[in-house]
Amino acid sequence: MRKALSLGIVTGREVLSQPLPWIVLSITALLLLFSTVLPSFTLEPEGDLKFMMDVGLGGVGMSLLVIGLWPATTLLVDELRERTALTLLSKPLSRSQYLLGRYLGIAGALTVSAALLGAWFLACAWLTESQVLGARLDSWLEGFPREALPTPLLRWHLLGMVLLALAQAAVLCAVAVALSTLLGPLPNLACCLAVFFLGHLGEHLPRTGGLWVWGLRAVVPHLACFETGEAVARGIPLPASYVAACLGYAALYVAAMLAVAIPLFERRELS
């Protein structure tokens, strides 16, 4: 496990050293900042914060998917083509440790990205809330405006939404890593997109129709549980038990995907 963690640290640094994650993070940060200005033109100030949180949720979720799926679909294939994987596996490093280390590195890069986006998300939400509450210049001159601080409920909403977006990205990255043992980058990405859409339409899939329908519902992750846009729109609190259950489900699904990916990688011919 120590070798897998060491490889994971190296992989995370490799992912974050590439320009794509920082380009995606910069674009998302600008989108969040723009969403704090755009709601000021609406007619309902109470809906400004919900609008900003909805836009921010979508931006954070899509950013984490791009940052995670890019290395998950290409890293293993590129290293096999460039024979970098053979060099690593020629050392006392098993294939299971190699695959687990690569996934842990991708998950670590996702966690760092989620932390940065979450902090910026909270700052933009604070700015939007201060506008909604009508913070004035004199309050700034008197000191830090206590009424402009996010409420505990808002902070929990933001934390819960970012954690669920991170969990969704981690699940899809596990699927991509498992498929990378069999498919190239483009077919892998196409399958991940299919899993993404089917996962969000899981509740609308037919419950009867034969063995293939049962198998599809059993294999495709239930990604709709990570969607919190409806809760934001209705102003429904996000229970801690719900977030914990979703995180537990994501951890179990990731473990199942890695358990499938490791035997597939063990049987793959690398030469």
Side-chain angles (χ1 to χ4, degrees):
M1 187 65 181
R2 182 178 301 176
K3 296 178 181 178
L5 289 175
S6 299
L7 182 59
I9 295 174
V10 174
T11 303
R13 291 175 177 174
E14 291 177 358
V15 173
L16 293 177
S17 66
Q18 299 298 320
L20 180 62
W22 300 106
I23 293 174
V24 174
L25 290 176
S26 299
I27 294 175
T28 307
L30 291 176
L31 175 64
L32 290 173
L33 185 60
F34 180 71
S35 67
T36 64
V37 179
L38 185 61
S40 62
F41 297 101
T42 61
L43 298 178
E44 297 181 0
E46 295 79 6
D48 292 355
L49 186 59
K50 293 181 180 179
F51 175 83
M52 183 270 159
M53 293 178 66
D54 195 22
V55 172
L57 173 62
V60 170
M62 293 306 299
S63 298
L64 293 179
L65 287 178
V66 173
I67 293 172
L69 287 180
W70 162 67
T73 56
T74 61
L75 187 60
L76 179 60
V77 176
D78 290 344
E79 291 196 341
L80 291 178
R81 183 176 61 252
E82 298 172 359
R83 308 185 70 83
T84 308
L86 296 177
T87 303
L88 291 173
L89 292 173
S90 63
K91 302 177 181 180
L93 185 69
S94 65
R95 295 194 182 190
S96 60
Q97 291 173 335
Y98 172 82
L99 198 66
L100 181 59
R102 289 308 191 193
Y103 176 78
L104 290 177
I106 296 171
L110 279 175
T111 304
V112 172
S113 301
L116 294 174
L117 287 175
W120 184 251
F121 196 3
L122 181 61
C124 291
W126 170 81
L127 179 60
T128 303
E129 190 182 30
S130 67
Q131 295 172 352
V132 172
L133 295 176
R136 299 178 180 178
L137 181 59
D138 55 353
S139 65
W140 284 97
L141 296 176
E142 294 173 1
F144 197 82
R146 302 174 68 81
E147 69 274 9
L149 284 172
T151 62
L153 181 59
L154 171 60
R155 288 197 296 267
W156 169 245
H157 265 302
L158 291 175
L159 177 60
M161 287 189 292
V162 173
L163 286 176
L164 292 182
L166 175 61
Q168 176 181 250
V171 167
L172 282 174
C173 285
V175 174
V177 168
L179 291 176
S180 66
T181 62
L182 301 172
L183 304 175
L186 290 180
N188 191 346
L189 182 59
C191 291
C192 289
L193 291 177
V195 170
F196 175 79
F197 288 111
L198 289 175
H200 282 278
L201 295 175
E203 296 180 351
H204 304 286
L205 292 176
R207 298 186 178 274
T208 58
L211 184 62
W212 72 272
V213 176
W214 179 86
L216 187 65
R217 295 181 63 90
V219 173
V220 174
H222 187 59
L223 300 179
C225 68
F226 304 116
E227 176 62 44
T228 57
E230 185 176 355
V232 173
R234 297 184 179 182
I236 301 175
L238 202 60
S241 58
Y242 177 80
V243 176
C246 290
L247 294 178
Y249 169 74
L252 290 176
Y253 194 90
V254 167
M257 283 292 100
L258 293 178
V260 172
I262 290 174
L264 292 175
F265 190 51
E266 293 279 358
R267 296 184 177 91
R268 177 166 179 170
E269 182 62 41
L270 301 182
S271 59

